[in-house]
Amino acid sequence: MDNENDFLRDTFRNSGDFSALYQPGDETHTQRGKTLFFQVISNANPDHRYSICNFLLDHDCGLEIGSRDGTTSFHILFAHHKHDIQQDVSLSRRLLERNIPIGQANGKGSTPLNYLITNPSLSDQELRPLYDLIMIGASYLTAMTTLTSPIRTT
């Protein structure tokens, strides 16, 4: 990566620019405390967002559990106005597999679900696959926490 600012700026444009500038190892770099993935998931263009995010996940990119205020990749993904629900489900599954918390509240007290349900362009019927995944993800995390917690006797 010759010029980090150009590289990060171009990740928000399109997957062609990203591919032209990407060099192996870029997926683990951070800028201002944020991983490349955390910045790329902000891409407003769904086609480029999914393409670049999946590419980075395929290359075992660095992921953070959340920013300083608790914002996770799920907050950012679900806050977008343009969605491909099947792509969101696929990307969300991959994030859950990497232990990114799907129910974590950010500093404003909002969970990723809060962002998703306030999207005026999608109906509950359209969002159902994501609702189901959120419920499964939250149940899975609760079960894992319970399994790893010490057993108390009274």
Side-chain angles (χ1 to χ4, degrees), residues 97-110:
E97 289 169 1
R98 297 278 301 269
N99 298 316
I100 301 301
I102 199 165
Q104 177 174 306
N106 63 15
K108 297 176 184 176
S110 297

Side-chain angles (χ1 to χ4, degrees), residues 1-8 10-11 17-31 34-40 52 55-57 59-63:
M1 168 169 34
D2 294 332
N3 185 333
E4 190 164 335
N5 291 330
D6 287 344
F7 178 74
L8 291 174
D10 287 335
T11 61
D17 289 343
F18 176 84
S19 296
L21 291 172
Y22 172 81
Q23 295 177 16
D26 288 342
E27 69 278 358
T28 61
H29 290 160
T30 60
Q31 184 181 45
K34 298 201 184 321
T35 63
L36 182 56
F37 183 89
F38 202 73
Q39 296 178 51
V40 167
I52 298 169
F55 175 88
L56 290 171
L57 287 168
H59 287 82
D60 200 27
C61 64
L63 291 174

Side-chain angles (χ1 to χ4, degrees), residues 44-87:
N45 181 307
D47 294 332
H48 301 304
R49 177 175 59 240
Y50 302 126
S51 173
I52 298 169
C53 285
N54 281 313
F55 175 88
L56 290 171
L57 287 168
D58 289 344
H59 287 82
D60 200 27
C61 64
L63 291 174
E64 57 264 282
I65 299 300
S67 66
R68 286 186 196 144
D69 76 344
T71 298
T72 68
S73 297
F74 285 113
H75 287 93
I76 297 167
L77 177 64
F78 295 164
H80 286 290
H81 292 286
K82 294 181 181 178
H83 291 269
D84 176 322
I85 298 300
Q86 293 309 316
Q87 291 278 2

Side-chain angles (χ1 to χ4, degrees), residues 123-140:
S123 70
D124 283 338
Q125 186 63 30
E126 291 171 300
L127 291 170
R128 186 166 181 85
L130 281 171
Y131 292 160
D132 291 345
L133 184 67
I134 290 168
M135 296 308 295
I136 291 167
S139 297
Y140 172 77

